Amino acid sequence: MEKDNSSKTELKKKKKKHSLMDAAFELFTEQGFGNTSISDIVERAKVAKGTFYLYFKDKYDLRTIITVHKAEHVFLKAWEEAGIKKEMEFEDVVIALSSSIIDILAKDKTLTFFLVKNLSFGVFQRDDGNREGLDFHAMVHEILEHSEKKYRDPEILLFFIFEFLGSASYSSIIEGVPVPIAELKPKLLDTLQGILKMYEC
Amino acid sequence: MEKDNSSKTELKKKKKKHSLMDAAFELFTEQGFGNTSISDIVERAKVAKGTFYLYFKDKYDLRTIITVHKAEHVFLKAWEEAGIKKEMEFEDVVIALSSSIIDILAKDKTLTFFLVKNLSFGVFQRDDGNREGLDFHAMVHEILEHSEKKYRDPEILLFFIFEFLGSASYSSIIEGVPVPIAELKPKLLDTLQGILKMYEC
Amino acid sequence: MEKDNSSKTELKKKKKKHSLMDAAFELFTEQGFGNTSISDIVERAKVAKGTFYLYFKDKYDLRTIITVHKAEHVFLKAWEEAGIKKEMEFEDVVIALSSSIIDILAKDKTLTFFLVKNLSFGVFQRDDGNREGLDFHAMVHEILEHSEKKYRDPEILLFFIFEFLGSASYSSIIEGVPVPIAELKPKLLDTLQGILKMYEC
Amino acid sequence: MEKDNSSKTELKKKKKKHSLMDAAFELFTEQGFGNTSISDIVERAKVAKGTFYLYFKDKYDLRTIITVHKAEHVFLKAWEEAGIKKEMEFEDVVIALSSSIIDILAKDKTLTFFLVKNLSFGVFQRDDGNREGLDFHAMVHEILEHSEKKYRDPEILLFFIFEFLGSASYSSIIEGVPVPIAELKPKLLDTLQGILKMYEC
DNA sequence: TATGAATGAGACTTCATTCAT
DNA sequence: AATGAATGAAGTCTCATTCAT
């Protein structure tokens, strides 16, 4: 009857849930979401089939939970690695953050693939209301307000930047098209910077 | 006894095949590929189940065939509507073609959705070897060679342009994010032009 | 495309459907409806599991179809065996029909059990609108109109008679309570006759 | 250390058992026995799943216990409300008791439904050996012996009366067929009286 | 006594594919 | 070429029951 979030039982529950999430993440990226069955997932996670339904409503629910989890992780890590501070200029923040995101994704093809396939490109700039504790959009806007240089159509500018970043990074990281990411990265950041300049007031 | 590719029988065959393709396209866009069964398709196409296997290996085969078919149609129509000629400057070709593509897609949300979901963004610039009769890539390169102005990294430039075009158009047309396509289009073309200028030698 | 109700295929279909109905009837009476699974049914009918769904929506649908089928059979046989004719007096019809119904049910415990369990006592006098081709209620009323003797509250009289008949026969046939049906039958018919007399105008 | 059957612990135990019985009764009548799971029951009873097995063997055991409990309650209440005394005539007892039973059931459709569905009509006159503390049959026979008027086949007479009563009341109370119980009741009691008269020696 | 996480058998159902007609 | 009945593997999900706490 008592809720006891730090007991041994509670820890075991967390472990089971994470086993399932990890197994599912692997399988979704290995075989695709559509080709992965719940049987596959529980088998790899080494839990009983019924246990799945203790933690997730169905396969779709599990996917959403994994996706949000992974995406938040990328954002937070990139923000941190980029050493972003409130006082920085907007342009510098965008470039530094983009650079960090590229680095993080480049190191993890699997993650890149998973995020793009499951978030329909939009995760970087859209807020779906389901997220807790992380409002990337708000963070970026705050920087924008503190920035000395001002920009035309800041919403659209941000949209362009992150569509561009996401879509080009994906092709390069996953398929090496048109060139590998190491080679594309400087050009990509240059082009982003060029776009930013275009929108300066 | 004689092979007559235009006989009544041949026409009837084509009709069945097209019924299946049309029914599948509708269902894929209505319910998603994963939720559409072959039963659904043959039912809507008013054809027996066995007939499906006379024309397609499986659902995946059907999807590929439809996708290529639709994509070619968009390219050709855009090329034509843009009134592109070999003598034109590369920049003008890119802008005119982009504009036409946006117009065509904006008029057909369903088609936009289908193409982006099934081509993984890359259809505009990648050649998958399966296509017959249409080499978009070659056509663009020919223009580039005839152009007076020259460009750095033309492969990457083209890649950036079409990734940007595809990904931004999709969000705007389908989800109206960040603004509807009518409003986004001029800014998008301006930004493309800005990118082109950045890459001029 | 052509509907051909008498072909070999059509005959095979009827056979399959009846295999399923027969197997289900046996299992429902042997183990109860709730304890019989579709796997059990198809196994006994020696058809594939998927075949079940070609003919019935689910287990409940199958039960309804069997029940109606069996009930109609009992009515028609009783009517026939009782040698009922339009000119007969209502009282004689009721007694003769009741007698035949008791005989038919007494010979087939399994059927009696099935009908009572699945029709919630009411099948004999209620018309559920789903039946085709057999309107027992109308047939009885026609007799009533042709009869010389008239009765008070004929609806209620009929209701009492068939509730009484169904419920008492069931207990006696299935459980031998309070005495076996052979012994109960004359008393039951006498009592019915007494009730009829009570309602004569 | 001492066994104290009326201690606080004992009361708490009884409370849990009754919570389970009440929850189950509600659910069985709301959704049917077959569609009610043990999870449903313990959830509504606000008791842990394992606790169920402390008090009942399984769902079937629980049903039997509830049914007997409810049926006994109806008999005792009817007996009491009818103001039955040993010296009364059998006919008067039967009619008074029937009237009370109808009244009690008519006020509680849910209970009527539950009893009929779970006792297969026979509860009023049959002794299943599981019952403790209440021998309805014996009570009625005692009256019969003290009665001045004597009856042929008293077992069968009682059987007829209670089958008739149970089955007709059920239809009328639950389904309003052929007329609502308020309207049916006097005719039903009249008919019962007629049957009693038929069996007088 | 009481809990509720975990189990895994098994229920229901769908569906791609085959094949006799 | 066309049909559609039949198949049965495989999927999703439920649920009674157990057992460590």
Side-chain angles (χ1 to χ4, degrees), chain C residues 4 8 31 53 58 64 80 99 113-114 135 139 161 164 166 175 199 201:
Chain C
D4 117 77
K8 229 196 303 188
Q31 326 179 341
Y53 294 93
D58 55 26
T64 302
E80 198 182 305
S99 176
F113 187 76
F114 182 84
D135 191 345
M139 290 154 90
I161 284 168
F164 193 28
E175 310 186 28
Y199 280 80
C201 294

Side-chain angles (χ1 to χ4, degrees), chain B residues 152-163:
Chain B
R152 281 180 296 117
D153 296 322
E155 281 293 335
I156 286 169
L157 174 57
L158 268 177
F159 166 77
F160 279 166
I161 284 168
F162 286 104
E163 280 298 334

